Amino acid sequence: MPYFDAASAAPLHPVARQALLAALDEGWADPARLYREGRRARLLLDAAREAAAEAVGCRPDELVFTSSGTTAVHAGIAGALSGRRRVGRHLALSAVEHSSVLHSAAAHEAAGGSFTEVPVDRTGAVDPAVYGGALRADTALACLQSANHEVGTEQPVAEVAARCADAGVPLLVDAAQSLGWGPVQEGWSLLTASAHKWGGPVGVGLLAVRKGVRFAAQGPAGERESGRAAGFENLPAIVAAAASLRAVRSEAAAESGRLRALVDRIRSVVAERVPDVEVVGDPVRRLPHLVTFSCLYVDGETLLHELDRREFSVSSGSSCTSSTLVPSHVLRAMGVLSEGNVRVSLPPGTAAADVDRFLEVLPGVVAEVRERLGAPVPAPASPGPAASLVVDALGRRCPVPVIELAKVIGEVAVGATVTVLADDEAARLDIPAWCEMRGQEYVGEEPADRGSAHVVRRLS
């Protein structure tokens, strides 16, 4: 069964498996002890730290191992903010950061701090000048991911780091998605990553803090990992994580070129074979293995289930696949379509034949789901009567409000409007995105007795 969700968790690399099994026999003792078993464990831990530091591009004594990438993010942000509390309590971050960064920002605000979300363009990238403009005299820390986890867009880390350096603000880079593919651009002050993203075992994160960065670890003091990560080190997993990072980096040049070609094929063929689809993210500055597209008039959860029935494992940022019914904050920040959203992230070793079969299956699955939902059939444009229309989609969830809009837009005259009444949070994103795709004008959102009134003007 083809597994196309490496951005969530990559399959365990063979080198990781070998290292893990070997370390279970050799690295079970306490590396803080002086007897021979402890010394052997310490040698393994030191070697793992040196290997990871080499891949990150830092000194071994600047890097600690944590229990997860999320823990690394939380510890990194909290420690940097506390270490620079005399400067101020303002935090800057991009609007498309991983949820671990957003949760840290929310906790910081609840404790009396403040934060600014820097907007992104339609590809998901920040403008370095805009990011620099968000830095203030009281900014204690800035955060920027190296590449986005949902759409694959790479961020201009070096340019933003230069702006941060000019302002005297340290930059924390979340490199979870990119570290396995290569070193992060220069200029960062703190860096975090997660081993299961590159084929290491779960339960290992990295936190690197450059010398000279003011940092005060939060929580009860600990004796291990320079006091920045509490608890006994999971040494076998750490050894496996470092070994697999070194292995994937040695394979990255060849494998990234091969997977980039497969992703380029997905990007082009999906746009050709699937009507009413939007491929999102930067087509050039992106991770080599990841592509995301959204299909109009499709329920994301149903689409993923149908692909799973055909033995393809993919993920989605659609609100339709979430218990909260709120669209992905990444797609919302980009202003792109969220309904029928599919993220394909290919693990190393993915066979071209599996990608070809996915591209053969996908159009029929999308068509089947659309038919089941009563999606509109394309019809020749007609002048329509002069009167404007109101569509009541209250209580209906994505993609129904957009489907109902598409069914009636041809019934009004050019220049007239259709007002969609909807209380689905996704409508705020998907109706404007539909207008962008269809060449119609999104007039705006107006208050209504229930939900909101989304006004669309027919232009063609």
Side-chain angles (χ1 to χ4, degrees):
M1 179 172 179
Y3 176 78
F4 290 170
D5 194 22
S8 292
L12 194 66
H13 193 282
V15 168
R17 184 183 302 277
Q18 294 169 5
L20 180 64
L21 293 175
L24 287 171
D25 292 331
E26 297 293 328
W28 50 268
D30 186 347
R33 302 306 172 196
L34 298 179
Y35 40 72
R36 65 177 179 275
E37 293 88 355
R39 294 196 304 272
R40 185 184 304 126
R42 169 57 65 179
L43 289 173
L44 289 174
L45 180 58
D46 289 345
R49 197 184 313 278
E50 290 177 4
E54 181 182 5
V56 168
C58 67
R59 292 168 35 166
D61 60 352
E62 294 175 328
L63 184 144
V64 299
F65 295 104
T66 66
S67 59
S68 69
T70 294
T71 300
V73 167
H74 291 170
I77 292 177
L81 288 173
S82 179
R84 286 174 48 82
R85 60 187 177 277
R86 291 184 180 179
V87 173
R89 304 199 64 192
H90 178 250
L91 172 67
L93 62 150
S94 85
V96 293
E97 294 299 311
H98 187 267
S99 59
S100 60
V101 176
L102 301 185
H103 293 158
S104 287
H108 176 60
E109 184 178 51
S114 64
F115 69 90
T116 298
E117 284 192 5
V118 181
V120 296
D121 62 20
R122 197 170 173 83
T123 71
V126 298
D127 182 329
V130 175
Y131 201 109
L135 303 176
R136 310 183 328 204
D138 64 338
T139 302
L141 179 67
C143 298
L144 181 66
Q145 58 190 186
S146 55
N148 186 259
H149 50 292
E150 289 194 27
V151 300
T153 297
E154 293 179 336
Q155 297 290 357
V157 171
E159 294 94 327
V160 171
R163 303 270 179 167
C164 291
D166 290 343
V169 177
L171 176 65
L172 183 149
V173 173
D174 171 15
Q177 290 295 335
S178 72
L179 192 61
W181 297 107
V184 176
Q185 296 175 25
E186 289 297 321
W188 56 267
S189 301
L190 302 94
L191 181 143
T192 63
S194 185
H196 72 275
K197 303 294 187 182
W198 66 67
V202 298
V204 179
L206 305 180
L207 170 60
V209 182
R210 296 283 195 196
K211 292 295 182 183
V213 175
R214 291 187 176 276
F215 190 92
Q218 298 302 285
E223 295 79 24
R224 299 175 184 274
E225 295 301 295
S226 305
R228 295 175 180 173
F232 197 102
E233 297 95 344
N234 184 353
L235 186 53
I238 288 171
V239 170
S244 59
L245 180 56
R246 175 176 284 177
V248 298
R249 287 286 283 273
S250 69
E251 302 161 356
E255 192 63 8
S256 65
R258 193 181 72 84
L259 294 183
R260 186 174 290 275
L262 292 178
V263 166
D264 285 341
R265 175 163 169 74
I266 295 173
R267 293 179 68 92
S268 61
V269 172
V270 166
E272 292 170 1
R273 296 183 184 176
V274 182
D276 300 316
V277 69
E278 181 178 16
V279 182
V280 301
D282 195 299
V284 178
R285 292 189 58 166
R286 59 173 175 80
L287 293 169
H289 68 305
L290 194 155
V291 57
T292 297
F293 53 89
S294 299
C295 306
L296 273 173
Y297 319 131
V298 168
D299 173 0
E301 184 172 8
T302 302
L303 182 57
L304 264 60
H305 282 321
E306 291 300 322
L307 288 170
D308 181 57
R309 286 180 56 196
R310 290 159 176 81
E311 300 188 333
F312 290 100
S313 301
V314 298
S315 65
S316 173
S318 287
S319 61
C320 318
T321 62
S322 167
S323 60
T324 64
L325 296 178
V326 176
S328 150
H329 71 277
V330 172
L331 301 178
R332 185 170 63 246
M334 294 168 61
V336 298
L337 185 71
S338 75
E339 65 186 55
N341 179 263
V342 175
R343 180 184 70 179
V344 174
S345 48
L346 308 177
T350 296
D354 288 337
V355 171
D356 289 340
R357 189 166 72 84
F358 174 77
L359 293 172
E360 291 173 1
V361 166
L362 180 68
V365 171
V366 173
E368 177 183 317
V369 174
R370 283 175 173 165
E371 182 179 5
R372 193 182 309 169
L373 290 170
V377 178
S382 62
S388 298
L389 291 177
V390 175
V391 174
D392 186 353
L394 292 168
R396 316 284 301 273
R397 300 303 176 194
C398 74
V400 174
V402 178
I403 289 176
E404 296 303 316
L405 167 62
K407 285 180 178 179
V408 303
I409 191 69
E411 298 178 12
V412 301
V414 173
T417 61
V418 174
T419 299
V420 182
L421 302 177
D423 52 8
D424 181 13
E425 182 67 25
R428 287 193 169 91
L429 181 60
D430 290 344
I431 291 177
W434 179 89
C435 292
E436 179 83 15
M437 295 175 68
R438 278 283 171 262
Q440 310 297 345
E441 179 187 357
Y442 182 66
V443 178
E445 180 181 341
E446 299 176 353
D449 292 339
R450 287 178 54 205
S452 299
H454 300 273
V455 183
V456 175
R457 177 175 287 111
R458 181 181 176 188
L459 299 182
S460 61

